[in-house]
Amino acid sequence: MSSDRPKLRSLLFVPGNKVEWLAKAEAAGADAAVLDLEDAVPESGKAAARERVAEAVANASGTMAIFVRINPLDRWAAAEDLRAVARPGLAGVLLPKTRGPEDVVLADRMLTWCEREHGMPEGRVALVPLLESAAALRGAYEIGRAAPRVAYLGAVTGKGGDVERAVGYRWSPSGTETLELRSRVLLDVRAAGVPCPVAGLWTAIGDLDGLRAFAEQNRSLGYEGMLAIHPSHVPVINEVFSPGPEELDRYARLVAAVEAAQARGAGAIVFEGEMVDEAMAARARAALRDHAPPR
């Protein structure tokens, strides 16, 4: 099931007590909305927000995927959150404050019970463990392998967040202080076989140039999407994590050139000044498949 997860370029946080903002997320073009029951909702409003989020999940329609960030597993609220929201219409669950593989195993088991209760295929709901401590970041490989439903896992290094506090770096717009961290976590996630890794966050709402630079850096590393906190960020993120027409045209020409050479019995060839072979063609085919225009 995990390998069948759709690629998501943009996952936009929406407060769990503001479910009416889902319309704004969809209008912005977000591939997914993350209804937040953790940090975005005060303690006194969590029960009411849970009911509203459950209703929004049950009524979900359209192409935008719906995720929910539940409360940490060290509280009963997490079990109550899962029981309320894990039903048809839910694409995935973000698991905050993940301590290690044991948290993933427990969340996986609870989600399986919920799926059985609602007659859903087991493993349908994706699980996104959030790596917010030094121990979790160091254990990204084991966390990624802890359950087949784990997807969209990556390093989230927003300014002033849990990761900055846990690791102790000083955040900068260039991202140089987290470049190695994001790279290592991505390698662990890829080695664990986790599909569609995503990064984040960019907290400066009005700095779209900075957002674009950070998103391009993440894409260059190998991430396939980003978490976002404001609708204005979604178009930039979607553009960065989508190949443009020129890039797709080049992929198509490359595939055609390699296949023509293979028909002649050749392997590696010179294509537009570069040496290419079947490995490059396979990469190009994957990009064309993932980003084919709708018919």
Side-chain angles (χ1 to χ4, degrees):
M1 177 65 72
S2 187
S3 61
D4 296 331
R5 304 293 179 195
K7 294 183 184 298
L8 298 174
R9 300 164 299 175
S10 52
L11 296 87
L12 177 63
F13 277 105
V14 175
N17 54 359
K18 300 286 185 179
V19 296
E20 64 274 14
W21 289 3
L22 283 173
K24 295 181 179 181
E26 192 162 17
D31 289 342
V34 181
L35 290 166
D36 189 6
L37 289 173
E38 192 206 12
D39 290 342
V41 180
E43 193 66 35
S44 60
K46 286 188 182 291
R50 182 186 300 123
E51 293 182 8
R52 297 193 68 192
V53 167
E55 182 179 0
V57 170
N59 295 327
S61 61
T63 58
M64 184 175 66
I66 302 297
F67 286 65
V68 175
R69 177 161 72 170
I70 64 171
N71 284 284
L73 281 179
D74 60 358
R75 305 173 52 190
W76 277 111
E80 294 169 349
D81 290 344
L82 285 176
R83 185 73 183 275
V85 306
R87 59 185 65 207
L90 182 68
V93 168
L94 273 66
L95 182 63
K97 311 294 190 294
T98 304
R99 293 165 294 189
E102 64 280 1
D103 280 351
V104 176
V105 171
L106 176 57
D108 174 58
R109 185 174 302 150
M110 294 168 72
L111 279 170
T112 298
W113 294 337
C114 294
E115 288 165 340
R116 290 174 182 171
E117 183 177 31
H118 291 284
M120 300 161 61
E122 292 184 18
R124 175 178 173 180
V125 178
L127 183 61
V128 188
L130 295 179
L131 310 176
E132 299 175 285
S133 68
L137 289 160
R138 190 172 188 272
Y141 176 76
E142 290 77 15
I143 288 171
R145 288 178 56 86
R149 70 170 78 239
V150 174
Y152 311 110
L153 180 62
V156 181
T157 55
K159 181 180 181 181
D162 291 317
V163 175
E164 181 176 347
R165 183 171 62 253
V167 177
Y169 58 77
R170 292 185 176 182
W171 184 91
S172 71
S174 67
T176 54
E177 70 286 341
T178 63
L179 183 61
E180 183 176 352
L181 173 63
R182 285 177 282 136
S183 300
R184 189 188 58 75
V185 168
L186 179 65
L187 180 60
D188 286 343
V189 167
R190 291 293 193 189
V194 176
C196 313
V198 299
L201 290 157
W202 185 259
T203 59
I205 294 175
D207 184 6
L208 298 185
D209 290 337
L211 166 66
R212 181 177 295 276
F214 185 60
E216 288 177 347
Q217 190 181 79
N218 283 320
R219 187 191 179 198
S220 295
L221 290 177
Y223 285 97
E224 298 182 15
M226 276 181 56
L227 293 164
I229 62 168
H230 194 269
S232 66
H233 290 185
V234 170
V236 175
I237 291 172
N238 285 351
E239 182 181 343
V240 169
F241 286 95
S242 301
E246 292 183 1
E247 189 174 355
L248 291 175
D249 286 346
R250 183 179 184 279
Y251 284 147
R253 295 196 306 272
L254 189 154
V255 170
V258 170
E259 291 179 350
Q262 290 172 341
R264 300 192 303 267
I269 61 169
V270 176
F271 169 76
E272 298 182 2
E274 296 183 3
M275 189 65 69
V276 299
D277 58 17
E278 176 56 30
M280 290 75 166
R283 171 69 181 86
R285 289 190 198 97
L288 291 168
R289 181 184 64 247
D290 292 339
H291 299 281
R295 294 183 178 181

